[in-house]
């Protein structure tokens, strides 16, 4: 059976500890020591340390108290803000459809209650956007940036660990040209 280089999903790569035949020759099974006698049994290799995947890192961060605090701050602002804005918007629409006489009442010249309420919708949209940006800047951005840097740091450490293991495997593999 020919082994692939790991690009095909489900295929074990040469040197992959998940390969059932990975330690077969290292265990001395079926080898001769050069004199015709069976080779001594080598001690089994320690299983390589499992490297956390990116998904593991993100799940760890998501479970952290710092992340939960950032999410809590976000929810404590957004949920009431959205509820308040939707209530105000629905009140405007319902009042416009059920009480057209109230909405048509003039306030100053040709400006009526409906026009002021409609302009109030725009004003509250801008105010809510400003309040959201201010809240994010003052209460969430710094903590979120710290979380982002911790994820980047964990990912960088993971990549360095994989590089070291790859280099170690390359050093342990015999030169392909010397086998022939």
């Amino acid at each position: 059976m020919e082994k692939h280089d790991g690009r095909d999903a489900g295929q074990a790569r040469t040197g992959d500890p998940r390969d059932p035949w990975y330690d077969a020759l290292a265990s001395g099974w079926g080898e001769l020591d050069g004199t015709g006698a069976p080779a001594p049994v080598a001690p089994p290799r320690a299983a390589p340390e499992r490297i956390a995947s990116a998904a593991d890192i993100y799940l760890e961060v998501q479970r952290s108290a710092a992340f939960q605090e950032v999410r809590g701050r976000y929810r404590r602002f957004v949920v009431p803000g959205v509820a308040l804005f939707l209530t105000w918007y629905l009140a405007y629409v319902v009042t416009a459809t059920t009480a057209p006489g109230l909405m048509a009442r003039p306030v100053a010249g040709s400006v009526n209650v409906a026009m002021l309420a409609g302009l109030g919708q725009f004003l509250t949209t801008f105010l809510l956007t400003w309040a959201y940006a201010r809240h994010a800047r003052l209460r969430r951005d710094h903590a979120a940036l710290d979380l982002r840097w911790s994820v980047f740091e964990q990912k960088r450490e993971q990549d360095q660990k994989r590089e070291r293991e790859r280099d170690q495997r390359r050093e342990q593999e015999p030169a392909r040209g010397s086998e022939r």
Side-chain angles (χ1 to χ4, degrees), residues 54-123:
D56 294 336
I57 292 171
Y58 286 111
L59 286 173
E60 179 185 334
V61 169
Q62 185 179 9
R63 292 181 189 121
S64 72
F67 181 82
Q68 296 304 320
E69 177 61 27
V70 170
R71 292 296 294 172
R73 289 177 185 177
Y74 172 78
R75 286 187 189 113
R76 283 189 296 273
F77 179 84
V78 169
V79 171
V82 167
L84 187 68
F85 184 78
L86 285 178
T87 302
W88 160 228
Y89 175 74
L90 289 175
Y92 170 69
V93 172
V94 168
T95 305
T97 56
T98 59
L102 172 68
M103 296 298 265
R105 187 173 297 164
V107 175
S110 63
V111 177
N112 59 18
V113 173
M115 291 176 76
L116 289 178
L119 291 173
Q121 290 290 316
F122 285 105
L123 179 64

Side-chain angles (χ1 to χ4, degrees), residues 13-17 22 46-52 157-173:
R13 295 182 302 255
T14 303
D16 188 343
Y22 176 70
E49 183 180 322
R50 184 178 178 275
I51 297 176
E157 288 171 4
Q158 174 191 35
D159 292 344
Q160 288 175 346
K161 191 179 230 182
R162 281 197 177 126
E163 256 326 291
R164 283 193 301 271
E165 286 182 359
R166 191 176 307 124
D167 292 343
Q168 287 174 352
R169 271 189 261 125
R170 285 183 187 148
E171 290 172 4
Q172 291 173 356
E173 290 178 3

Side-chain angles (χ1 to χ4, degrees), residues 1 4 6-13 16 18-20:
M1 181 172 144
H4 298 282
R7 291 188 192 134
D8 296 72
Q11 293 290 331
R13 295 182 302 255
D16 188 343
R18 293 174 292 177
D19 181 2

Side-chain angles (χ1 to χ4, degrees), residues 123-145:
L123 179 64
T124 55
T125 301
F126 291 118
L127 285 174
L128 190 58
T129 302
W130 171 81
Y132 176 83
R134 183 175 186 273
H135 181 269
R137 185 180 66 249
L138 296 177
R139 302 225 167 83
R140 291 191 328 260
D141 287 352
H142 184 71
L145 188 60

